[in-house]
Amino acid sequence: FPVTIHYPAVVSVVALSVVSGLLIFIVPTFTEMFKSSGQELPVPTKVVVAMSEGIVNYWWFGLVIAGFIYFLFSVLPHILDHCRLYIK
């Protein structure tokens, strides 16, 4: 990667890590408080709770997608280059 992309990449990784940590560890704690109060939650809060539950329950799907993206951009071009050598 060029040097100019390092800072935005690091900032993006840190921001994604912080948001993921909040959704995985903090939001479920507040979800229990909200459920025990018995009140109707606003729509934005329901969206955040749903995102949190999705990440906690389907974390493996994120790994599958990350693996697919890695394969698509890292491994597949080498395989296609190797195949082109035999086609010529």
Side-chain angles (χ1 to χ4, degrees), residues 33 42 64 69 77:
M33 283 186 352
V64 169
I69 290 171

Side-chain angles (χ1 to χ4, degrees), residues 54-85:
I55 290 173
V56 168
N57 295 327
Y58 299 105
W59 59 269
W60 55 269
F61 189 68
L63 290 179
V64 169
I65 295 296
F68 178 73
I69 290 171
Y70 173 77
F71 175 79
L72 195 64
F73 288 106
S74 182
V75 177
L76 190 61
H78 295 294
I79 293 172
L80 294 176
D81 285 342
H82 186 69
C83 291
R84 281 191 211 128
L85 292 174

Side-chain angles (χ1 to χ4, degrees), residues 33-64:
M33 283 186 352
F34 292 144
K35 286 181 181 178
S36 67
S37 71
Q39 295 180 347
E40 181 71 21
L41 297 176
V43 174
T45 306
K46 287 181 182 179
V47 169
V48 171
V49 168
M51 287 172 47
S52 173
E53 290 175 355
I55 290 173
V56 168
N57 295 327
Y58 299 105
W59 59 269
W60 55 269
F61 189 68
L63 290 179
V64 169

Side-chain angles (χ1 to χ4, degrees), residues 17-39:
S17 299
V18 168
V19 170
S20 297
L22 288 171
L23 289 174
I24 292 170
F25 299 109
I26 305 300
V27 172
T29 304
F30 284 101
T31 301
E32 294 302 319
M33 283 186 352
F34 292 144
K35 286 181 181 178
S36 67
S37 71
Q39 295 180 347

